PDB file of all heavy atoms in Angstrom:
ATOM      1  N   GLU A 122       3.445  -7.122  -8.612  1.00  0.00           N
ATOM      2  CA  GLU A 122       3.383  -7.209  -7.145  1.00  0.00           C
ATOM      3  C   GLU A 122       2.128  -7.975  -6.706  1.00  0.00           C
ATOM      4  O   GLU A 122       2.151  -8.738  -5.741  1.00  0.00           O
ATOM      5  CB  GLU A 122       3.401  -5.778  -6.584  1.00  0.00           C
ATOM      6  CG  GLU A 122       3.884  -5.698  -5.165  1.00  0.00           C
ATOM      7  CD  GLU A 122       4.347  -4.277  -4.761  1.00  0.00           C
ATOM      8  OE1 GLU A 122       4.775  -3.491  -5.619  1.00  0.00           O
ATOM      9  OE2 GLU A 122       4.268  -3.990  -3.565  1.00  0.00           O
ATOM     10  N   ASN A 168      -2.409   5.826  -4.893  1.00  0.00           N
ATOM     11  CA  ASN A 168      -1.046   5.700  -5.444  1.00  0.00           C
ATOM     12  C   ASN A 168      -0.659   4.271  -5.806  1.00  0.00           C
ATOM     13  O   ASN A 168       0.144   4.044  -6.690  1.00  0.00           O
ATOM     14  CB  ASN A 168      -0.019   6.303  -4.474  1.00  0.00           C
ATOM     15  CG  ASN A 168       0.046   5.554  -3.158  1.00  0.00           C
ATOM     16  OD1 ASN A 168      -0.916   4.915  -2.762  1.00  0.00           O
ATOM     17  ND2 ASN A 168       1.156   5.627  -2.486  1.00  0.00           N
ATOM     18  N   PHE A 169      -1.220   3.311  -5.074  1.00  0.00           N
ATOM     19  CA  PHE A 169      -1.092   1.905  -5.461  1.00  0.00           C
ATOM     20  C   PHE A 169      -2.504   1.356  -5.584  1.00  0.00           C
ATOM     21  O   PHE A 169      -2.992   0.647  -4.716  1.00  0.00           O
ATOM     22  CB  PHE A 169      -0.228   1.129  -4.457  1.00  0.00           C
ATOM     23  CG  PHE A 169       1.224   1.210  -4.816  1.00  0.00           C
ATOM     24  CD1 PHE A 169       1.953   2.344  -4.530  1.00  0.00           C
ATOM     25  CD2 PHE A 169       1.849   0.179  -5.495  1.00  0.00           C
ATOM     26  CE1 PHE A 169       3.279   2.452  -4.911  1.00  0.00           C
ATOM     27  CE2 PHE A 169       3.191   0.273  -5.879  1.00  0.00           C
ATOM     28  CZ  PHE A 169       3.887   1.411  -5.576  1.00  0.00           C
ATOM     29  N   VAL A 173      -2.053  -2.782  -3.360  1.00  0.00           N
ATOM     30  CA  VAL A 173      -2.288  -2.804  -1.909  1.00  0.00           C
ATOM     31  C   VAL A 173      -3.562  -3.596  -1.590  1.00  0.00           C
ATOM     32  O   VAL A 173      -3.631  -4.337  -0.600  1.00  0.00           O
ATOM     33  CB  VAL A 173      -2.298  -1.383  -1.329  1.00  0.00           C
ATOM     34  CG1 VAL A 173      -2.784  -1.377   0.107  1.00  0.00           C
ATOM     35  CG2 VAL A 173      -0.899  -0.775  -1.415  1.00  0.00           C
ATOM     36  N   TRP A 176      -2.456  -7.209  -1.771  1.00  0.00           N
ATOM     37  CA  TRP A 176      -1.733  -7.645  -0.560  1.00  0.00           C
ATOM     38  C   TRP A 176      -2.741  -8.111   0.483  1.00  0.00           C
ATOM     39  O   TRP A 176      -2.527  -9.114   1.161  1.00  0.00           O
ATOM     40  CB  TRP A 176      -0.997  -6.495   0.102  1.00  0.00           C
ATOM     41  CG  TRP A 176       0.161  -5.905  -0.610  1.00  0.00           C
ATOM     42  CD1 TRP A 176       0.731  -6.331  -1.759  1.00  0.00           C
ATOM     43  CD2 TRP A 176       0.893  -4.750  -0.179  1.00  0.00           C
ATOM     44  NE1 TRP A 176       1.790  -5.518  -2.079  1.00  0.00           N
ATOM     45  CE2 TRP A 176       1.897  -4.546  -1.138  1.00  0.00           C
ATOM     46  CE3 TRP A 176       0.793  -3.883   0.893  1.00  0.00           C
ATOM     47  CZ2 TRP A 176       2.810  -3.486  -1.040  1.00  0.00           C
ATOM     48  CZ3 TRP A 176       1.690  -2.843   1.003  1.00  0.00           C
ATOM     49  CH2 TRP A 176       2.690  -2.647   0.044  1.00  0.00           C
ATOM     50  N   THR A 246      -4.933   2.114   4.133  1.00  0.00           N
ATOM     51  CA  THR A 246      -3.696   2.697   3.618  1.00  0.00           C
ATOM     52  C   THR A 246      -4.015   4.110   3.159  1.00  0.00           C
ATOM     53  O   THR A 246      -5.001   4.331   2.462  1.00  0.00           O
ATOM     54  CB  THR A 246      -3.191   1.896   2.401  1.00  0.00           C
ATOM     55  OG1 THR A 246      -3.076   0.536   2.801  1.00  0.00           O
ATOM     56  CG2 THR A 246      -1.843   2.384   1.918  1.00  0.00           C
ATOM     57  N   GLU A 269      -1.425   1.556   7.423  1.00  0.00           N
ATOM     58  CA  GLU A 269      -0.193   1.788   6.674  1.00  0.00           C
ATOM     59  C   GLU A 269      -0.302   3.213   6.154  1.00  0.00           C
ATOM     60  O   GLU A 269      -0.964   3.472   5.160  1.00  0.00           O
ATOM     61  CB  GLU A 269      -0.104   0.744   5.551  1.00  0.00           C
ATOM     62  CG  GLU A 269       1.295   0.566   5.025  1.00  0.00           C
ATOM     63  CD  GLU A 269       1.462   1.259   3.703  1.00  0.00           C
ATOM     64  OE1 GLU A 269       1.011   0.745   2.689  1.00  0.00           O
ATOM     65  OE2 GLU A 269       2.049   2.362   3.733  1.00  0.00           O
ATOM     66  N   GLN A 301       4.933   9.935  -5.271  1.00  0.00           N
ATOM     67  CA  GLN A 301       3.667   9.642  -4.561  1.00  0.00           C
ATOM     68  C   GLN A 301       3.626   8.225  -3.994  1.00  0.00           C
ATOM     69  O   GLN A 301       2.540   7.645  -3.854  1.00  0.00           O
ATOM     70  CB  GLN A 301       2.477   9.861  -5.497  1.00  0.00           C
ATOM     71  CG  GLN A 301       2.383  11.285  -6.015  1.00  0.00           C
ATOM     72  CD  GLN A 301       1.392  11.401  -7.152  1.00  0.00           C
ATOM     73  OE1 GLN A 301       0.318  11.950  -7.004  1.00  0.00           O
ATOM     74  NE2 GLN A 301       1.725  10.850  -8.288  1.00  0.00           N
ATOM     75  N   ARG A 302       4.766   7.632  -3.713  1.00  0.00           N
ATOM     76  CA  ARG A 302       4.746   6.370  -2.964  1.00  0.00           C
ATOM     77  C   ARG A 302       4.840   6.715  -1.488  1.00  0.00           C
ATOM     78  O   ARG A 302       5.464   7.711  -1.125  1.00  0.00           O
ATOM     79  CB  ARG A 302       5.954   5.512  -3.320  1.00  0.00           C
ATOM     80  CG  ARG A 302       5.933   4.968  -4.720  1.00  0.00           C
ATOM     81  CD  ARG A 302       7.005   3.908  -4.872  1.00  0.00           C
ATOM     82  NE  ARG A 302       7.092   3.486  -6.253  1.00  0.00           N
ATOM     83  CZ  ARG A 302       7.455   2.269  -6.640  1.00  0.00           C
ATOM     84  NH1 ARG A 302       7.774   1.348  -5.742  1.00  0.00           N
ATOM     85  NH2 ARG A 302       7.501   1.949  -7.903  1.00  0.00           N
ATOM     86  N   CYS A 303       4.250   5.884  -0.657  1.00  0.00           N
ATOM     87  CA  CYS A 303       4.475   6.167   0.764  1.00  0.00           C
ATOM     88  C   CYS A 303       5.912   5.869   1.134  1.00  0.00           C
ATOM     89  O   CYS A 303       6.404   6.325   2.156  1.00  0.00           O
ATOM     90  CB  CYS A 303       3.475   5.426   1.632  1.00  0.00           C
ATOM     91  SG  CYS A 303       3.416   3.717   1.290  1.00  0.00           S
ATOM     92  N   THR A 304       6.633   5.151   0.263  1.00  0.00           N
ATOM     93  CA  THR A 304       8.046   4.855   0.490  1.00  0.00           C
ATOM     94  C   THR A 304       8.976   5.820  -0.255  1.00  0.00           C
ATOM     95  O   THR A 304      10.193   5.616  -0.261  1.00  0.00           O
ATOM     96  CB  THR A 304       8.354   3.431   0.004  1.00  0.00           C
ATOM     97  OG1 THR A 304       7.874   3.312  -1.340  1.00  0.00           O
ATOM     98  CG2 THR A 304       7.707   2.365   0.861  1.00  0.00           C
ATOM     99  N   THR A 464      14.760   3.735  -0.603  1.00  0.00           N
ATOM    100  CA  THR A 464      13.690   3.535   0.393  1.00  0.00           C
ATOM    101  C   THR A 464      12.449   2.877  -0.193  1.00  0.00           C
ATOM    102  O   THR A 464      11.637   2.311   0.538  1.00  0.00           O
ATOM    103  CB  THR A 464      13.259   4.890   0.998  1.00  0.00           C
ATOM    104  OG1 THR A 464      12.858   5.765  -0.062  1.00  0.00           O
ATOM    105  CG2 THR A 464      14.371   5.520   1.799  1.00  0.00           C
ATOM    106  N   SER A 465      12.293   2.971  -1.527  1.00  0.00           N
ATOM    107  CA  SER A 465      11.049   2.423  -2.106  1.00  0.00           C
ATOM    108  C   SER A 465      11.330   1.085  -2.761  1.00  0.00           C
ATOM    109  O   SER A 465      12.472   0.638  -2.831  1.00  0.00           O
ATOM    110  CB  SER A 465      10.476   3.404  -3.136  1.00  0.00           C
ATOM    111  OG  SER A 465      11.336   3.501  -4.235  1.00  0.00           O
ATOM    112  N   GLY A 466      10.271   0.451  -3.227  1.00  0.00           N
ATOM    113  CA  GLY A 466      10.436  -0.796  -3.978  1.00  0.00           C
ATOM    114  C   GLY A 466      10.646  -2.013  -3.108  1.00  0.00           C
ATOM    115  O   GLY A 466      11.433  -2.894  -3.440  1.00  0.00           O
ATOM    116  N   ALA A 467       9.896  -2.083  -2.005  1.00  0.00           N
ATOM    117  CA  ALA A 467       9.999  -3.261  -1.130  1.00  0.00           C
ATOM    118  C   ALA A 467       9.432  -4.496  -1.832  1.00  0.00           C
ATOM    119  O   ALA A 467       8.521  -4.394  -2.657  1.00  0.00           O
ATOM    120  CB  ALA A 467       9.227  -3.008   0.154  1.00  0.00           C
ATOM    121  N   GLU A 468      10.009  -5.653  -1.528  1.00  0.00           N
ATOM    122  CA  GLU A 468       9.496  -6.914  -2.070  1.00  0.00           C
ATOM    123  C   GLU A 468       8.330  -7.399  -1.207  1.00  0.00           C
ATOM    124  O   GLU A 468       8.285  -7.114  -0.021  1.00  0.00           O
ATOM    125  CB  GLU A 468      10.598  -7.972  -2.037  1.00  0.00           C
ATOM    126  CG  GLU A 468      11.804  -7.623  -2.854  1.00  0.00           C
ATOM    127  CD  GLU A 468      12.923  -8.659  -2.717  1.00  0.00           C
ATOM    128  OE1 GLU A 468      12.649  -9.797  -2.310  1.00  0.00           O
ATOM    129  OE2 GLU A 468      14.064  -8.290  -3.017  1.00  0.00           O
ATOM    130  N   PHE A 473       5.416  -5.390   5.455  1.00  0.00           N
ATOM    131  CA  PHE A 473       5.471  -4.007   4.962  1.00  0.00           C
ATOM    132  C   PHE A 473       4.681  -3.093   5.890  1.00  0.00           C
ATOM    133  O   PHE A 473       3.493  -3.320   6.139  1.00  0.00           O
ATOM    134  CB  PHE A 473       4.896  -3.936   3.545  1.00  0.00           C
ATOM    135  CG  PHE A 473       5.009  -2.563   2.940  1.00  0.00           C
ATOM    136  CD1 PHE A 473       6.111  -2.222   2.167  1.00  0.00           C
ATOM    137  CD2 PHE A 473       4.034  -1.608   3.165  1.00  0.00           C
ATOM    138  CE1 PHE A 473       6.232  -0.950   1.623  1.00  0.00           C
ATOM    139  CE2 PHE A 473       4.141  -0.331   2.628  1.00  0.00           C
ATOM    140  CZ  PHE A 473       5.255  -0.002   1.851  1.00  0.00           C
TER     141      PHE A 473
HETATM  142  C1  UN1 B 601       2.676   2.421  -1.036  1.00  0.00           C
HETATM  143  O1  UN1 B 601       3.256   3.402  -1.475  1.00  0.00           O
HETATM  144  O2  UN1 B 601       1.603   2.529  -0.399  1.00  0.00           O
HETATM  145  O3  UN1 B 601       7.756  -0.470  -1.542  1.00  0.00           O
HETATM  146  C2  UN1 B 601       3.134   1.022  -1.289  1.00  0.00           C
HETATM  147  C3  UN1 B 601       7.187   0.084  -2.490  1.00  0.00           C
HETATM  148  C4  UN1 B 601       6.027  -0.642  -3.114  1.00  0.00           C
HETATM  149  C5  UN1 B 601       4.789  -0.484  -2.323  1.00  0.00           C
HETATM  150  C6  UN1 B 601       4.471   0.939  -1.934  1.00  0.00           C
HETATM  151  N1  UN1 B 601       6.363  -2.045  -3.214  1.00  0.00           N
HETATM  152  O4  UN1 B 601       7.526   1.171  -2.906  1.00  0.00           O
END
Side-chain angles (χ1 to χ4, degrees):
E122 203 161 333
N168 64 335
F169 272 78
V173 170
W176 292 354
T246 305
E269 200 257 283
Q301 299 168 109
R302 291 192 186 211
C303 52
T304 52
T464 57
S465 66
E468 299 176 20
F473 184 92

